[in-house]
Amino acid sequence: MAPTTHSLRPLSCWKPIFRHTRLQPAATRSLTTQVQPKRTFEESRPFAPTRKSNFKIIGPPPALKFKEPIKDVTNAQLAILDPTSARSNLFSKTNPEAAHVGDILLVRLKTGDPFAGVCINIRRRGIDTGILLRNELTRIGVEMWFKIYSPNVEGIEVVQRKEKRARRARLTYMRKPKHDMGSVQNIVLAYQRSRGALRGSGGTGTLGKDEKKGGKRKVKGKGKSLILEHSDYPASVMADDIAQQLTIKMQLDKETGEMVSKNELKKRTQKRAKKAAVAARNGVSVSNPVQDPIPRDQLATAEEPVVDPDAMFKQGFLAEVYEQRPSKNIVTRFPPEPNGYLHLGHSKAITINFGFARYHGGKTILRFDDTNPDAEKEEYFIAIQETIRWLGFAPSEITYASDNFQRLFDLAEELVKQKNAYVCHCNEAETKLQRGGEKGASPRYRCAHANQDVETNLEKFRGMRDGKYAPQSAWLRLKQDIENPNPQMWDIAAYRIPKDQRPHFRTGTKWRVYPTYDFAHCLCDSFEGITHSLCTTEFLMSRDSYEWLNHRLVDFQPMQREYGRLNLTGTILSKRDIQPLIEEKIVRGWDDPRLFTLKAIQRRGIPPGALLSFIYELGVTTAKSFVDNRRFQQSVRQYLERSVPRLMLVLDPIPVVIEDAEEQDLDIPFSPKDSKMGSHKIRLTKRIYIDRSDFREVDSKDYFRLAPGKTVGLLQIPYPVKAVSFTKDEASGAIVEIKAVYDKEGKKPKTYIQWVPEGSPTAEVRIHTALFNSDQPKLVAGGFMNDVNPNSETIWPNAMIESGFYEVRRRAPWPEAEGEKLGEASLASVRFQAMRVAYFALDIDSTDDRIVLNQIVPLKEDLGKSSKG
Ligand SMILES: [Zn+2]
């Protein structure tokens, strides 16, 4: 055989061709393939002499009209949206003058106010190119995407360029607190001022101006283009105005935690109200899972416009309730059972019932539902009335369900005569069986007692009243509809003989039988002419029995409607749960500031107005809401921020001797924003006290407070101080004294710390954090008692507070609002912000010479940090 040579190699290429021919069917049977010409071996040969010349050679496709259609469309669009190419240039990668990430940009909008911020991302997507600006508004980090070619964007200006070009394409790391630039407001204002000056002398060289040439810019009316219009005003006016406008226009969407425009928020609110209303119409109780807490970085102290207290009556659920029965003379009622202290959830009930009537010019009756003498106490009657007054509401009259005992009894007899009620002797187990057994799976039936005649029933019912039956051996049942799917219609109880037979707070031993809530409540509503009986969705099923009874017994028909109850995460509200906490001495009592009874909320120093505005913010729907505790704190903080004075307080004082200080009086305003709050004097002494946590023996680069050789600012004092030496207690190692001097030459200090002069009063400060470790203490294995946070209270026994406190105490209540009016100051209405520490109120344990303070809320969400100062 010849050796394998190059010339033979192509043979291998023939293989597939041979295989192909082998696979060729000998004859084509299919009709559809019949017409195919048979391929011969010759034809299938790759380099057979082919009929090449027969092929029509098609040349290249005709030149397209557009080489790159997408690019062309983009360009066409850009020609319209960016005729001067100014915006493309501003973000072009080739333009050395272009804006980059890290620059501070100002975007002027056609509608709404301009927004400035650090550009942290540029997304180049042709016509869809966008920039992400980050700023801080009212101490909340806010980011906004702007499409640079959007017709709504009027102009983009570079306020400040980053000195060194950022090495990254995206500066998202700036979201971290460590790198956050915070507010760029001051830079923007300075820029606007200088620009205002430049404007007089000619060009500014910014994009905004280029566009003006194009005739696109229009300045219409005040507020449309806030910045340009105001640049002719004195700088201070402008600053205030802008700050105010920015604060008002951006609002926090409480449900998502985003900062959105006023319009957007309105839209969202309406959408949610609609959704809730649909759910209400369908009779569905939308059970909200735990609402998303506000993202952590947005939980900073923030000032927000005051919520319209009437908004919840003007729109949404309560507006619909009114429309269903637009009475001229609205009468509502608040019907607490006087068997415990009211809690946070009740404040919603109070606000809805009293507020609804007040908004429509009606009245509200406070009716004590005292139909259960076993649990009622006089102290609760008093506490409930005080709480309502504290919230700023006044009942038109105070009534008692017990006032109607005789009338109710007579109506029960009437019902017996109508054959709509019967006396039953079945016990609990039997009754359960009648109602379908444990799982409700077996058929429901009525007991033999249901067939008793009217005379027997009447006789037995009167016998119950007259003591013929032992407690719990007989009860009056409504004869409703056992087949009805609603358990509230399964012959529920109307009258019972209480087990303990304790004398009633108001009627003594006159009655042995008492009506149930289900029987008494609807009838009392009718007696009192209640037009709108508003209660929580727990009573949704009860509406059937409510109407069933009223239709049979009375003429005036009130209308019951149900709203979603307010619940807070991370705590417990019911009195049954709080009781063991008190018994185990985990809390100080019903009014312990860590609890959420209204007494506790009051003692903690939360102003009634803050509580109300929290409820106004939440609004009213049929959804049962679990509100995050942090959101509650945030709401309270916002309220306090604008309404209480500021003082300096040092939790753990150590002395600092400023060696070159001269004693002098300083006049210090109570509020940096509100001059109406007035001011007070502090004597600057040579020896002052600062917080132990604000001093370090060993300095480090990332530390900006006092350390040997380091300078720190002191609040309200013109010069910063520099520590020169310190002395330590040999035994304990604790710092005893620090010596310092003024640093009059140095740079502006990075941090200012609080201090108090020598001779300032001491105070015991109680700082509270969450009582439970988890958000759902009841779901913890072994029950909520296993979830108790052992460190929920920290006491600083030797804190010092500046003497301005005495004036705050003299001038309390702060603020003077709702149920706290001048002359009625409670200790808890002595409130202030201890700068850099927290918000505080005077505790009821205080006396004339002893100051005990409770933390109302921390300054920031981070509890650990703020309690340390
Ligand atoms: Zn029975």
Side-chain angles (χ1 to χ4, degrees):
M1 280 293 281
T4 313
T5 62
H6 271 288
S7 59
L8 284 177
R9 208 170 253 177
L11 266 180
S12 60
C13 303
W14 289 81
K15 269 185 165 178
I17 295 158
F18 284 130
R19 196 184 301 140
H20 186 78
T21 50
R22 279 200 303 279
L23 287 174
Q24 280 283 330
T28 311
R29 294 182 204 282
S30 161
L31 274 174
T32 49
T33 54
Q34 196 83 58
V35 288
Q36 274 195 355
K38 271 187 188 171
R39 285 174 60 144
T40 60
F41 174 68
E42 275 293 291
E43 275 170 356
S44 53
R45 272 167 59 204
F47 34 81
T50 54
R51 293 167 245 159
K52 216 178 193 174
S53 53
N54 289 351
F55 277 106
K56 190 187 172 191
I57 294 169
I58 300 165
L64 284 173
K65 200 180 171 192
F66 303 109
K67 272 185 182 159
E68 284 177 80
I70 293 178
K71 200 172 176 185
D72 264 49
V73 170
T74 306
N75 287 340
Q77 294 265 331
L78 285 181
I80 300 166
L81 293 167
D82 187 25
T84 58
S85 301
R87 288 187 197 179
S88 306
N89 285 340
L90 188 64
F91 294 99
S92 146
K93 275 186 171 169
T94 50
N95 178 10
E97 291 293 299
H100 298 287
V101 287
D103 295 348
I104 297 173
L105 303 181
L106 178 99
V107 176
R108 282 182 284 105
L109 301 164
K110 288 222 174 92
T111 51
D113 290 327
F115 185 86
V118 191
C119 178
I120 61 172
N121 192 0
I122 301 174
R123 196 162 56 189
R124 292 186 174 83
R125 301 277 191 283
I127 200 77
D128 201 30
T129 297
I131 51 171
L132 179 62
L133 301 187
R134 179 177 175 85
N135 195 356
E136 199 171 73
L137 296 183
T138 65
R139 292 195 222 168
I140 291 182
V142 179
E143 288 178 12
M144 303 245 285
W145 273 107
F146 291 98
K147 303 281 183 202
I148 64 164
Y149 299 114
S150 162
N152 286 327
V153 172
E154 200 173 41
I156 304 172
E157 300 175 27
V158 181
V159 173
Q160 191 186 59
R161 290 183 191 275
K162 195 176 186 326
E163 280 174 34
K164 235 168 89 185
R165 223 175 120 182
R167 280 183 297 176
R168 296 157 204 253
R170 275 177 223 106
L171 305 184
T172 41
Y173 69 88
M174 290 179 81
R175 287 171 181 154
K176 289 183 186 158
K178 198 177 154 192
H179 302 284
D180 199 345
M181 260 187 91
S183 173
V184 297
Q185 201 64 42
N186 288 335
I187 301 168
V188 175
L189 287 173
Y191 160 77
Q192 281 158 356
R193 249 173 263 152
S194 66
R195 224 186 61 121
L198 270 175
R199 222 159 64 97
S201 64
T204 62
T206 59
L207 179 59
K209 204 196 153 234
D210 296 344
E211 286 188 341
K212 257 185 285 170
K213 276 188 198 154
K216 286 212 122 196
R217 217 179 99 67
K218 283 177 207 158
V219 180
K220 262 194 240 158
K222 200 182 168 185
K224 277 253 169 176
S225 174
L226 179 81
I227 284 167
L228 281 178
E229 279 199 287
H230 286 271
S231 48
D232 298 322
Y233 286 69
S236 59
V237 175
M238 197 169 78
D240 286 348
D241 229 41
I242 291 166
Q244 203 192 353
Q245 294 266 346
L246 285 176
T247 312
I248 290 171
K249 290 292 160 75
M250 295 297 290
Q251 300 188 330
L252 183 67
D253 180 344
K254 289 282 174 178
E255 282 197 20
T256 61
E258 296 162 15
M259 290 296 289
V260 294
S261 70
K262 215 172 176 178
N263 279 341
E264 171 68 15
L265 187 65
K266 202 174 149 195
K267 244 185 256 168
R268 289 185 184 188
T269 315
Q270 282 170 352
K271 206 170 159 191
R272 283 172 198 150
K274 221 181 211 172
K275 209 170 150 193
V278 169
R281 265 199 299 278
N282 299 340
V284 188
S285 157
V286 186
S287 189
N288 251 14
V290 178
Q291 285 180 3
D292 285 342
I294 305 167
R296 265 182 179 268
D297 60 343
Q298 304 215 356
L299 271 164
T301 325
E303 209 173 307
E304 254 196 300
V306 184
V307 189
D308 176 11
D310 291 336
M312 69 184 212
F313 307 113
K314 284 180 192 159
Q315 63 201 29
F317 172 76
L318 288 177
E320 291 198 1
V321 167
Y322 179 76
E323 275 161 29
Q324 287 171 28
R325 186 168 182 160
S327 316
K328 281 217 175 73
N329 302 307
I330 295 263
V331 187
T332 61
R333 85 287 169 270
F334 176 60
E337 232 186 301
N339 61 358
Y341 291 100
L342 301 181
H343 58 66
L344 185 78
H346 291 111
S347 62
K348 184 173 179 182
I350 294 173
T351 312
I352 288 177
N353 281 297
F354 282 90
F356 185 76
R358 185 159 75 185
Y359 178 72
H360 293 292
K363 57 177 190 170
T364 305
I365 294 169
L366 167 61
R367 183 199 318 137
F368 286 110
D369 177 38
D370 55 347
T371 52
N372 183 8
D374 287 1
E376 289 155 13
K377 277 192 198 160
E378 190 173 3
E379 60 175 296
Y380 301 135
F381 285 89
I382 297 161
I384 288 168
Q385 291 179 51
E386 279 175 1
T387 301
I388 293 170
R389 196 166 52 228
W390 176 72
L391 278 168
F393 295 110
S396 62
E397 58 186 302
I398 297 172
T399 62
Y400 300 84
S402 57
D403 290 343
N404 304 310
F405 276 173
Q406 188 60 53
R407 198 170 168 190
L408 289 168
F409 189 85
D410 295 344
L411 284 175
E413 283 198 340
E414 167 75 28
L415 205 63
V416 172
K417 287 175 196 160
Q418 289 174 4
K419 297 185 181 168
N420 280 324
Y422 59 96
V423 173
C424 173
H425 303 285
C426 299
N427 61 24
E428 217 183 308
E430 287 163 332
T431 313
K432 202 172 228 167
L433 220 57
Q434 292 159 22
R435 290 174 176 167
E438 197 61 60
K439 286 180 185 158
S442 54
R444 295 189 289 273
Y445 61 93
R446 277 203 168 109
C447 65
H449 306 112
N451 300 326
Q452 285 161 173
D453 58 29
V454 172
E455 279 65 40
T456 318
N457 279 324
L458 264 185
E459 197 192 319
K460 282 186 172 180
F461 184 47
R462 288 171 186 157
M464 277 169 65
R465 176 192 63 190
D466 300 336
K468 280 190 187 150
Y469 297 98
Q472 296 182 305
S473 69
W475 48 304
L476 184 74
R477 291 178 77 167
L478 304 179
K479 199 169 183 176
Q480 295 164 298
D481 177 10
I482 201 89
E483 297 298 329
N484 194 302
N486 182 354
Q488 274 297 117
M489 296 300 284
W490 298 346
D491 292 9
I492 58 172
Y495 262 84
R496 70 222 150 78
I497 314 172
K499 196 168 99 191
D500 295 343
Q501 286 297 310
R502 286 202 197 134
H504 188 276
F505 167 68
R506 300 187 77 242
T507 59
T509 52
K510 188 182 172 201
W511 293 94
R512 278 193 90 249
V513 286
Y514 291 93
T516 59
Y517 171 89
D518 286 320
F519 184 77
H521 182 249
C522 50
L523 293 170
C524 288
D525 275 358
S526 172
F527 299 162
E528 290 172 359
I530 307 295
T531 51
H532 297 74
S533 182
L534 306 171
C535 54
T536 56
T537 45
E538 278 79 357
F539 296 99
L540 190 67
M541 304 281 242
S542 301
R543 199 201 286 181
D544 282 353
S545 60
Y546 183 102
E547 288 171 357
W548 186 92
L549 258 171
N550 276 353
H551 281 137
R552 276 160 182 77
L553 293 173
V554 285
D555 292 330
F556 181 81
Q557 300 296 325
M559 182 178 90
Q560 179 187 303
R561 287 297 178 268
E562 309 81 12
Y563 58 85
R565 204 163 84 172
L566 168 62
N567 276 303
L568 212 57
T569 60
T571 189
I572 49 164
L573 292 176
S574 84
K575 50 183 175 281
R576 206 181 310 118
D577 297 335
I578 294 173
Q579 193 76 50
L581 291 172
I582 295 173
E583 281 162 11
E584 300 280 326
K585 295 206 166 29
I586 291 166
V587 294
R588 291 163 194 272
W590 290 99
D591 59 355
D592 188 287
R594 287 163 289 180
L595 296 176
F596 286 86
T597 62
L598 291 177
K599 281 277 157 206
I601 284 173
Q602 198 175 346
R603 178 174 179 180
R604 180 167 148 192
I606 291 174
L611 186 55
L612 291 179
S613 63
F614 170 64
I615 291 162
Y616 297 146
E617 272 168 41
L618 292 177
V620 183
T621 64
T622 52
K624 180 175 173 179
S625 47
F626 260 100
V627 180
D628 195 278
N629 193 356
R630 285 172 294 185
R631 185 167 155 188
F632 176 61
Q633 285 197 2
Q634 165 85 335
S635 179
V636 172
R637 187 160 37 232
Q638 281 166 356
Y639 187 89
L640 292 171
E641 163 98 30
R642 55 176 176 254
S643 58
V644 299
R646 293 181 189 190
L647 293 173
M648 291 193 286
L649 171 131
V650 169
L651 289 175
D652 187 6
I654 44 169
V656 176
V657 178
I658 309 170
E659 294 184 312
D660 51 350
E662 279 174 30
E663 295 219 351
Q664 54 172 308
D665 280 326
L666 302 169
D667 190 52
I668 296 175
F670 276 124
S671 162
K673 289 179 197 158
D674 184 1
S675 57
K676 284 194 287 291
M677 282 196 190
S679 63
H680 63 288
K681 295 237 174 329
I682 298 190
R683 182 85 184 155
L684 169 59
T685 50
K686 226 178 152 92
R687 192 180 159 90
I688 60 165
Y689 290 86
I690 64 163
D691 201 272
R692 194 174 292 279
S693 64
D694 285 334
F695 179 76
R696 263 197 209 171
E697 290 175 44
V698 185
D699 190 16
S700 70
K701 222 177 160 187
D702 57 349
Y703 178 75
F704 301 109
R705 286 167 283 163
L706 203 58
K710 191 143 212 167
T711 299
V712 74
L714 293 173
L715 286 166
Q716 323 286 8
I717 295 185
Y719 302 116
V721 292
K722 184 200 267 181
V724 287
S725 65
F726 62 91
T727 44
K728 267 168 98 168
D729 181 61
E730 293 282 314
S732 66
I735 309 282
V736 181
E737 192 184 76
I738 300 159
K739 286 214 162 42
V741 290
Y742 280 139
D743 183 4
K744 296 188 183 179
E745 309 298 312
K747 278 194 292 181
K748 198 170 169 270
K750 280 217 157 120
T751 305
Y752 284 83
I753 60 171
Q754 79 278 18
W755 58 279
V756 295
E758 185 164 32
S760 296
T762 55
E764 178 182 316
V765 175
R766 296 173 185 167
I767 292 194
H768 303 111
T769 57
L771 186 55
F772 297 100
N773 293 318
S774 73
D775 271 355
Q776 302 282 332
K778 283 192 155 187
L779 302 182
V780 169
F784 61 86
M785 290 299 269
N786 283 347
D787 194 37
V788 171
N789 169 14
N791 305 314
S792 58
E793 185 179 70
T794 315
I795 295 179
W796 299 88
N798 304 312
M800 287 173 86
I801 185 165
E802 58 161 294
S803 57
F805 168 77
Y806 291 124
E807 194 180 335
V808 172
R809 187 169 72 178
R810 190 176 55 75
R811 285 172 57 189
W814 290 94
E816 194 186 330
E818 311 306 342
E820 290 181 344
K821 297 279 188 278
L822 199 64
E824 284 180 46
S826 66
L827 290 172
S829 71
V830 182
R831 305 181 181 99
F832 61 92
Q833 182 199 109
M835 286 188 271
R836 296 188 66 239
V837 188
Y839 289 97
F840 290 101
L842 206 51
D843 186 70
I844 49 169
D845 289 346
S846 307
T847 60
D848 280 349
D849 9 81
R850 182 170 173 241
I851 303 170
V852 181
L853 298 170
N854 283 319
Q855 176 190 271
I856 309 172
V857 280
L859 290 180
K860 287 186 232 128
E861 173 52 26
D862 193 346
L863 295 163
K865 255 190 197 165
S866 63
S867 63
K868 279 276 179 182

